[in-house]
Amino acid sequence: MKKGIIVLLITLLAATSVFALDFHGSFRAGYQFTFGDEVAITDVSRLKDLAGRFSISSSAEGDGWSLDLWSPAFDSAANKDYYGYYGSIKALLTVDYSATLGLPEDVSAQFMLGDNGFSIYVPYLDPTSYSYNYIDSVGDGIMAGASFGYKNYSITGAIDPVSENGKSGIVYAGADYGFVSVGAGMQIKKDALDVEAGFVFDVAEVAQLDDISAKVSALYQYAKENDNHDLFIAVSGGYDAISAYAEFIAQLTAKEYDLNAGVSYNLGNGVSVGADGSFEFDGDKAIAGAGWAKCKLNGVTYQAWLGYKKNVYAKAQATLSF
C-alpha cells in the first residue's frame, strides 16, 4: 500500500507536464540445427512467449527535475522472479539541487525517489555480455537516494526504507578522467552483500593513437550470500573496419576459468562478418566457436552462424526491433 501511494504521488507531481510516450520491442524468428547422431532442430523465436520483450516508457522534465515512467507491455508470472515485477509501473523522480543550492559549476547534487527503479553502471568493457556490471536497487519498496559530484568524482547512495522484506540499499563511488573510468559499489540486502569494482583504461587515447582503438578493463564481483568471487579481464581494439576482443573469466570460488576471443569486419551498408571462440580450462576443457554473418535491411537484422559446441550447429534468425 505504501509503495503504491508513493508511486502515485510521484506520478501526480508531473501530471501537468506533457509526456512523450515511447513503445519499444522486438520480434525474433529463427531456428538452430544441431548435428549429432541425429539432427536436432531448436526454435529460437520469440513468437510463442512475448513476455518481457516489449516495454512502454514515458518521460517529462521541468526546471531542475525529471520524471521517468516505464512498464512492460507484456509480462508473465514465469518472468516475475527474473524481472522482479509483474505488470507494474516503474517510476523514477530525479531532482537537481545544484542551481537551487547555488553550487559551483563543478559541483552537483541530485535527489532520487523511485519505485525500486534505478541501477548504477560499473565500468567494464563486457565484450561477451556475460558479466552483469551494474549495482541494482533491490527490495520490494521505494528507493530514496542522493548523488553528489565534484569535478571527475561522484558518489551515490540509496536505501529502501519501507520494504516489507527487510531494509536494503546501494552505495557507489566512481571517477571518470576520460582516458580511464573507475568505480566500486555494493548492494546491501537483508541477509546478503554484493560488491563490484571495475575500470576501463583507454590505451589508444593515452598513446595518442588516432587510427587505432585499444582498451583494457577488469571487473571484480563478490557475493557474500554464497561466498562467490568472480574476476573478469578484457581487452578490445580495432583498426579501420576490423575490431577484436579477448576476455578471461575466472570464477574463483567454483574454480572455473574461460577464455573468450572474437574478431569482426564491417563490410559497410549494414553488413558485417566475424568469428567468436571460447575455451574452458577446467573440466573437459571444452572448446566452442562460430563464424557469423549479419545484415541489417529495412529495420530487420538477419544473422546466421556456423559453429561448434560439443556438436556442429547452424543457426539463422531475423529480428525486427522498434
Side-chain angles (χ1 to χ4, degrees):
M1 176 62 71
K2 294 179 181 178
K3 178 176 167 183
I5 294 175
I6 296 178
V7 173
L8 180 60
L9 289 176
I10 295 175
T11 305
L12 291 176
L13 180 63
T16 58
S17 300
V18 177
F19 281 77
L21 185 62
D22 297 309
F23 183 68
H24 309 279
S26 64
F27 289 100
R28 185 178 73 187
Y31 289 93
Q32 176 172 312
F33 302 86
T34 304
F35 304 96
D37 296 334
E38 297 181 355
V39 178
I41 303 177
T42 305
D43 185 354
V44 296
S45 303
R46 285 180 175 172
L47 300 178
K48 294 181 179 179
D49 182 11
L50 299 178
R53 308 306 180 190
F54 301 89
S55 64
I56 294 176
S57 63
S58 183
S59 62
E61 62 181 23
D63 186 12
W65 64 269
S66 65
L67 176 65
D68 296 291
L69 303 173
W70 66 99
S71 175
F74 299 92
D75 206 355
S76 70
N79 280 334
K80 181 179 179 180
D81 292 337
Y82 180 81
Y83 289 102
Y85 53 81
Y86 174 48
S88 60
I89 296 178
K90 316 298 285 184
L92 176 62
L93 172 68
T94 303
V95 181
D96 193 333
Y97 283 103
S98 303
T100 305
L101 299 176
L103 301 177
E105 291 184 359
D106 54 3
V107 179
S108 63
Q110 291 183 332
F111 171 76
M112 298 163 290
L113 180 65
D115 179 20
N116 203 17
F118 53 94
S119 59
I120 305 173
Y121 165 78
V122 180
Y124 180 61
L125 288 175
D126 196 20
T128 59
S129 300
Y130 185 83
S131 72
Y132 185 76
N133 51 317
Y134 290 88
I135 303 294
D136 282 331
S137 55
V138 295
D140 59 357
I142 300 298
M143 296 296 290
S147 178
F148 302 94
Y150 174 69
K151 293 185 177 180
N152 306 96
Y153 308 95
S154 65
I155 183 170
T156 301
I159 188 172
D160 176 2
V162 297
S163 173
E164 298 177 358
N165 295 324
K167 303 299 182 290
S168 61
I170 58 175
V171 62
Y172 174 83
D176 188 350
Y177 286 91
F179 69 93
V180 62
S181 298
V182 297
M186 64 179 64
Q187 179 190 83
I188 306 167
K189 295 177 282 188
K190 182 178 180 181
D191 299 314
L193 172 69
D194 296 338
V195 177
E196 289 194 36
F199 76 89
V200 176
F201 181 76
D202 194 329
V203 179
E205 183 172 339
V206 174
Q208 297 182 346
L209 304 174
D210 296 333
D211 299 327
I212 299 175
S213 65
K215 295 181 180 181
V216 297
S217 182
L219 176 71
Y220 169 75
Q221 296 177 330
Y222 168 70
K224 182 180 179 182
E225 186 174 8
N226 51 10
D227 194 29
N228 192 63
H229 300 260
D230 294 330
L231 177 64
F232 302 81
I233 300 174
V235 296
S236 68
Y239 175 73
D240 196 16
I242 301 175
S243 60
Y245 73 87
E247 180 181 44
F248 176 71
I249 303 174
Q251 300 180 58
L252 302 175
T253 303
K255 296 182 179 181
E256 297 179 356
Y257 310 95
D258 302 324
L259 178 63
N260 305 296
V263 61
S264 63
Y265 184 78
N266 188 351
L267 298 172
N269 297 319
V271 180
S272 58
V273 295
D276 301 283
S278 64
F279 176 73
E280 297 180 4
F281 291 88
D282 58 294
D284 56 1
K285 294 180 171 56
I287 297 177
W292 54 266
K294 181 168 61 175
C295 174
K296 188 171 184 179
L297 183 63
N298 296 327
V300 180
T301 301
Y302 303 91
Q303 192 164 5
W305 295 262
L306 179 61
Y308 174 82
K309 188 175 182 179
K310 296 184 179 180
N311 290 292
V312 176
Y313 69 89
K315 179 180 176 182
Q317 69 180 39
T319 305
L320 171 64
S321 300
F322 51 91

